[in-house]
Structures are given as C-alpha cells and as structure tokens.
Amino acid sequence: MQILKKRILEDGVVIGDNILKVDNFLNHQIDVELLDEIGKEFHKRFGNVGLTKILTVEASGISVACATAREYKIPVLFAKKGNVSTQNEGNYSSKSFSFTKNEEYTMNVSKKYIGPQDTILIIDDFLANGLAIDALLEIVEQSGAKLAGIGIVIEKDFQAGGRKLREKGYHLESLARIASMGKNGIIFA
Ligand code: 5GP
C-alpha cells in the first residue's frame, strides 16, 4: 500500500534494532484519512467472505479495526488486557507476551460477543513475533467461531510471526512489509 509506505518513510522512527514508532499517524496521533484508506484496503483484500465481526486487541489495534469494520458494516470486538485474577467463566481467555513492554498478559473476550455463529477477521497494527495474533487465534478457537483471515498494517518480515502464520496456511494480508530497518533506513520487502 503505497501511501502507507510513503508515510512510514516520512514519519516512522526506528528505535534500536527492531521497534518502529509510528506515533505521528497511527499509535498516538491518528491520521483518520489514512485510517479510512487502510480500512478500504483491507476490505478490498479480504472481500466479501461473510464476516460478522472484526477482532483485535486493545489499544492500538482498535482504530484500524474500526476503519475496517466501517467498510464491512459490522461490529468491532476488542480483547481486553488484564491479569489472571480478572478472568471469569464468562470470558474466553488466552495468555500473550508483549513485545514492546516485555511482559506477560492475559487477553479476555466476553462469551456474549463471540461464538460458533461468527466469522471473524483479526486485525492488528503490527506483526512481529506473532504472539499477540496467536493469543487472538486461541480465543477464536475457544469460541468455535470461523476465522476468515488476519489483517496487519505493518509486518516486520525480519521477525518470525508472519512466516509462521503463512506456513500454517492462514490468509494473512499485511499492508506494509518491512524487510529490514537500521543504518540503511527502512527497506520494504
Ligand atoms: P508480536 O506479538 O507479533 O510479537 O507483536 C505485536 C504486538 O506488539 C502488536 O500488537 C504491537 O502493538 C506491538 N508491536 C510489535 N512490534 C512493534 C513495533 O515495532 N512498533 C510498535 N509501535 N508496536 C509494535
């Protein structure tokens, strides 16, 4: 997606070896026109596959999920992050590990809002090692819902998440794939 790649080159800030900050347009300040284009692009790529809900995780996936859900005219469901003590029988729960915060956390989704009748598209802002997506996949599996695909705004190809998901046969669409970041700047795949 050219306008997204252009924006990453203009405004993305590389931290260390493997963190990309996009606080200028996605993760802090949000460019809603770009967000609209992202929603349209996901709609184009996944097409009409009978989706009933978009699933994401708080907080940074929510804006992108909403832009996509607007195109499909379906609700967004976001997993809430909490610790084990907040789990209860009314939730599907799975454990994940935060790449940016370096800590374990639990994702919770109410059983009221997802079930075998649903067809789900998972959306998130970044794909690195794939642990956030793995936890969302586990929730979809627990619920008995059908999974249509996984949409990612920025995939870092030099981390293993995307490869693992493709090997497992998931329909994964990433709007910008970064092959490397560092001294030579940001290089797209
Ligand atoms: P993963 O679970 O795939 O290792 O990491 C994905 C999650 O970590 C995403 O939900 C995202 O919030 C965060 N994340 C991973 N890499 C980056 C990055 O380079 N920049 C930012 N801003 N977030 C990232």
Side-chain angles (χ1 to χ4, degrees):
M1 188 183 174
Q2 282 312 321
I3 51 164
L4 173 64
K5 290 184 186 169
K6 186 165 172 281
R7 195 63 188 270
I8 292 170
L9 291 178
E10 281 168 6
D11 290 323
V13 178
V14 179
I15 312 280
D17 293 340
N18 55 20
I19 300 271
L20 176 65
K21 287 201 88 167
V22 287
D23 282 8
N24 171 289
F25 62 93
L26 191 64
N27 284 155
H28 191 28
Q29 173 169 268
I30 296 177
D31 180 337
V32 293
E33 285 183 19
L34 178 61
L35 208 60
D36 284 348
E37 295 306 314
I38 288 172
K40 285 179 193 154
E41 184 68 21
F42 278 132
H43 186 253
K44 198 167 89 187
R45 292 191 186 205
F46 287 101
N48 291 318
V49 285
L51 296 182
T52 60
K53 259 164 219 188
I54 308 279
L55 178 66
T56 188
V57 56
E58 66 177 358
S60 54
I62 296 176
S63 61
V64 187
C66 287
T68 311
R70 184 185 299 284
E71 295 301 311
Y72 281 101
K73 299 186 173 30
I74 56 175
V76 168
L77 180 60
F78 66 89
K80 295 190 176 190
K81 291 177 181 171
N83 54 40
V84 179
S85 63
T86 63
Q87 287 185 45
N88 62 50
E89 288 186 357
N91 288 342
Y92 296 114
S93 296
S94 63
K95 282 211 168 69
S96 191
F97 187 85
S98 167
F99 179 78
T100 44
K101 296 195 178 120
N102 204 28
E103 65 186 18
E104 196 180 75
Y105 64 95
T106 305
M107 285 187 197
N108 297 289
V109 173
S110 169
K111 290 180 180 173
K112 269 195 282 190
Y113 300 123
I114 184 168
Q117 71 285 359
D118 283 311
T119 300
I120 300 290
L121 174 63
I122 291 178
I123 293 281
D124 203 6
D125 59 343
F126 274 90
L127 178 59
N129 295 311
L131 300 182
I133 296 297
D134 282 349
L136 289 170
L137 286 168
E138 201 182 313
I139 283 172
V140 172
E141 198 180 314
Q142 286 173 28
S143 75
K146 184 167 163 254
L147 182 82
I150 302 162
I152 299 290
V153 181
I154 303 171
E155 175 180 342
K156 292 179 290 179
D157 271 33
F158 54 89
Q159 293 176 292
R163 183 178 45 76
K164 285 191 289 189
L165 292 169
R166 288 187 183 91
E167 275 172 12
K168 288 181 186 161
Y170 291 109
H171 181 187
L172 172 63
E173 294 282 347
S174 300
L175 305 188
R177 291 177 67 175
I178 296 176
S180 66
M181 315 191 293
K183 283 196 286 294
N184 301 324
I186 296 170
I187 312 286
F188 292 104

